[in-house]
Amino acid sequence: MTKERDHALDVTKLIMAILVICIHTDPLESYSDTGNFILIRVIARIAVPFFFITAGYYFFVKSRSKVQFMHYMKKLGTTYLLWSVIYLPVNIYVWMNEGFTKEWLQQYIQQVFFVGTYYHLWFLPALMFAIAIVYYAQKRMSLRQIAAVSLVLYLIGLLADSYYRLTAQVPVLHEMVDGYLAVFEYSRNGLFFGLPFVALGALMAKELPEWKLSDAICEFGLLFSFGWMVFEAALLRILGWPIHDSMYVMLVPTVVFGFIVLLRLRVPGKPIHAYASDISMVLYLIHPAMILGVRVLSSQLPILKANSLIYFTVIFLLSFTVSHFWVRRKTYAAKAGLGRNQSRPHHT
């Protein structure tokens, strides 16, 4: 089975990257606590699952050889290594201030594999893990079985995230969850979070045409699921159950129905769509560096922190500008080379 790119997904990837920046900058904090909660703790929580489900869909929509799988893993691994090196000075700065210890080194090595070398880089090893699990598991199980098992894992992961304090009512379970968090810090990882959405993306890549779902059902499912996710997030906040708030029960159907709705949109292909897809991941990877830069500048320009919307806007514009030059670097380098060649005198 082959599949051309869905341009609606390309554009949505850029929107989701912007929502990730929102998560780390709280744009509405200065204006409305409730509005900021809905934006950051509900709407923006769709972003990373969308990246997982899209990656799973595009990878498994075609039959992949072992060579193609290894090439994909190498590409992700190289990207992770590159950006880990880029953010390494920040970790060195922490080491210089806190002192280098054996425990610090052990923690850093643990972060490399489980939570990322910087707080947003966890996505890359999680994606590698999830893709690998689905790739090898499908040789022994059907994609439906893999998806079913992964959804059970997601429900387990909820107990170490938004439903954490529910486990307090079962002391043995609470101790197990605390023991897990003491080692792995989050259930927002490749096993409990990445795998379910990658598996669902893979399942839809292979079986979606067989699903008898009308556009009306999918659109209703999206609105119904999202409405209940808003209610779920608000109720959990009132109850005070979350230790983190990356995972909700209704997040799964919201992302699935939303993904199907996007797949069915007929968006004519334009160069801007490929650009949106390319720049979205760079935005995701580079914006924490811009956050660090703006925090340094805010000591000289307090307005950058005094107003949350200005803070977000400055970080977004800086991130977008740097990402643009990163994506277009080969084009600009070629133009610069052409300019130099044209400026040279011709000798006869």
Side-chain angles (χ1 to χ4, degrees):
M1 179 180 181
T2 59
K3 185 74 171 67
E4 295 181 357
R5 291 201 69 87
D6 292 276
H7 304 296
L9 296 182
D10 291 335
V11 175
T12 305
K13 283 170 67 176
L14 176 56
I15 296 172
M16 295 301 167
I18 295 171
L19 286 176
V20 172
I21 298 176
C22 289
I23 291 174
H24 298 144
T25 55
D26 293 299
L28 302 181
E29 188 177 39
S30 300
Y31 302 92
S32 169
D33 182 62
T34 300
N36 194 63
F37 171 79
I38 293 174
L39 174 61
I40 302 305
R41 308 303 177 190
V42 184
I43 297 174
R45 289 307 180 193
I46 297 171
V48 175
F50 173 82
F51 284 130
F52 277 124
I53 206 168
T54 302
Y57 177 82
Y58 276 132
F59 184 82
F60 291 100
V61 79
K62 298 180 181 180
S63 296
R64 302 288 185 172
S65 66
K66 183 67 174 294
V67 173
Q68 290 174 316
F69 167 74
M70 294 306 297
H71 176 75
Y72 188 76
M73 290 292 107
K74 181 180 178 181
K75 182 179 178 181
L76 287 177
T78 301
T79 301
Y80 182 47
L81 178 61
L82 170 63
W83 287 93
S84 294
V85 171
I86 290 173
Y87 285 99
L88 183 60
V90 181
N91 289 306
I92 292 176
Y93 177 79
V94 173
W95 162 59
M96 291 175 64
N97 281 271
E98 296 182 359
F100 182 80
T101 62
K102 180 180 178 181
E103 289 73 19
W104 187 93
L105 179 60
Q106 290 175 338
Q107 183 181 22
Y108 184 78
I109 294 173
Q110 177 181 320
Q111 289 175 336
V112 169
F113 294 101
F114 300 114
V115 296
T117 51
Y118 204 60
Y119 62 83
H120 68 307
L121 293 180
W122 70 272
F123 173 79
L124 294 171
L127 179 58
M128 293 174 66
F129 177 86
I131 291 285
I133 290 295
V134 177
Y135 180 80
Y136 285 109
Q138 69 175 339
K139 301 180 185 299
R140 297 179 177 272
M141 304 167 62
S142 70
L143 284 172
R144 291 188 180 187
Q145 290 173 324
I146 296 170
V149 171
S150 70
L151 288 175
V152 172
L153 290 171
Y154 183 84
L155 293 175
I156 294 172
L158 286 170
L159 299 178
D161 196 272
S162 293
Y163 287 79
Y164 170 73
R165 288 183 176 81
L166 175 63
T167 65
Q169 301 176 29
V170 184
V172 175
L173 183 60
H174 192 61
E175 291 178 6
M176 292 174 62
V177 172
D178 281 348
Y180 168 85
L181 290 174
V183 177
F184 299 105
E185 295 189 41
Y186 303 98
S187 58
R188 181 204 63 188
N189 54 31
L191 180 62
F192 297 108
F193 193 60
L195 178 59
F197 291 105
V198 167
L200 288 169
L203 181 63
M204 286 190 285
K206 300 298 185 182
E207 298 189 8
L208 185 57
E210 302 173 11
W211 297 0
K212 305 302 181 183
L213 297 173
S214 67
D215 291 348
I217 289 176
C218 294
E219 291 164 4
F220 174 79
L222 172 60
L223 293 175
F224 181 83
S225 301
F226 180 73
W228 275 102
M229 190 173 83
V230 174
F231 175 78
E232 179 186 9
L235 179 61
L236 289 171
R237 188 187 192 195
I238 293 170
L239 293 173
W241 283 4
I243 186 174
H244 307 294
D245 48 21
S246 301
M247 305 167 68
Y248 301 114
V249 172
M250 297 308 296
L251 179 60
V252 175
T254 297
V255 173
V256 169
F257 280 118
F259 189 78
I260 296 173
V261 168
L262 288 170
L263 284 177
R264 293 183 176 181
L265 293 179
R266 295 294 178 261
V267 179
K270 296 180 180 179
I272 190 66
H273 299 144
Y275 173 79
S277 177
D278 292 340
I279 203 172
S280 61
M281 185 50 65
V282 184
L283 268 176
Y284 177 92
L285 293 168
I286 211 165
H287 77 272
M290 301 302 105
I291 291 175
L292 284 173
V294 171
R295 284 177 179 172
V296 173
L297 285 175
S298 64
S299 61
Q300 303 298 321
L301 298 170
I303 192 174
L304 294 177
K305 283 293 287 181
N307 185 291
S308 60
L309 191 56
I310 292 177
Y311 179 66
F312 161 78
T313 303
V314 171
I315 289 171
F316 168 71
L317 291 176
L318 285 173
S319 300
F320 192 89
T321 300
V322 176
S323 298
H324 171 79
F325 281 104
W326 181 283
V327 169
R328 300 292 196 190
R329 63 191 185 280
K330 292 182 180 179
T331 301
Y332 289 132
K335 288 182 178 179
L338 180 61
R340 286 195 297 271
N341 291 335
Q342 290 178 337
S343 65
R344 292 174 183 171
H346 293 283
H347 298 285
T348 58

